[in-house]
Amino acid sequence: MTTSDITKLAALFLALNLIVFSVYFLDKQAARQGGWRISERTLLTLALIGGSLGAVAAQQILRHKTRKEPFRSVLTAILILYGALAMVLTFAPLWAPRLHLDF
């Protein structure tokens, strides 16, 4: 993977998380004004497809869905899943010789 590829992936990740933050912002505004709301399923799906950091940032900064269960627990589980995935991807090259796999 080249530096250019990594830069493109980082930009895509940042853009996705900014979009998710914006969606949470719109839902918070709708909650304040009594308008049309975005479903929790949609908010959690956006977090699951890669916008979990944007979702958590919006939750903390906007104070949105901070007391709502099971929303909080599911979002926490998504963060744990991505943390575990990041660890596996980070350490996979170190484990490959021991597992006789090519990464």
Side-chain angles (χ1 to χ4, degrees):
M1 188 173 267
T2 66
T3 304
S4 175
D5 293 336
I6 293 171
T7 303
K8 289 176 187 175
L9 282 174
L12 181 63
F13 180 74
L14 178 63
L16 176 61
N17 279 281
L18 288 172
I19 290 168
V20 171
F21 186 93
S22 299
V23 170
Y24 274 66
F25 175 78
L26 293 173
D27 188 52
K28 179 67 174 188
Q29 291 299 100
R32 287 181 177 157
Q33 298 169 358
W36 177 81
R37 302 289 306 277
I38 298 167
S39 73
E40 288 185 1
R41 171 181 243 149
T42 299
L43 295 173
L44 289 170
T45 300
L46 289 170
L48 184 62
I49 63 169
S52 57
L53 295 180
V56 170
Q59 188 182 41
Q60 296 302 310
I61 293 169
L62 304 173
R63 304 298 302 157
H64 189 48
K65 303 272 187 197
T66 55
R67 294 183 289 177
K68 183 87 175 186
E69 284 294 346
F71 189 90
R72 272 184 12 187
S73 297
V74 173
L75 187 55
T76 300
I78 291 169
L79 282 172
I80 291 169
L81 173 73
Y82 274 108
L85 180 62
M87 288 183 62
V88 167
L89 291 175
T90 300
F91 292 109
L94 300 175
W95 298 331
R98 292 185 183 128
L99 298 174
H100 304 290
L101 299 173
D102 257 341
F103 281 102

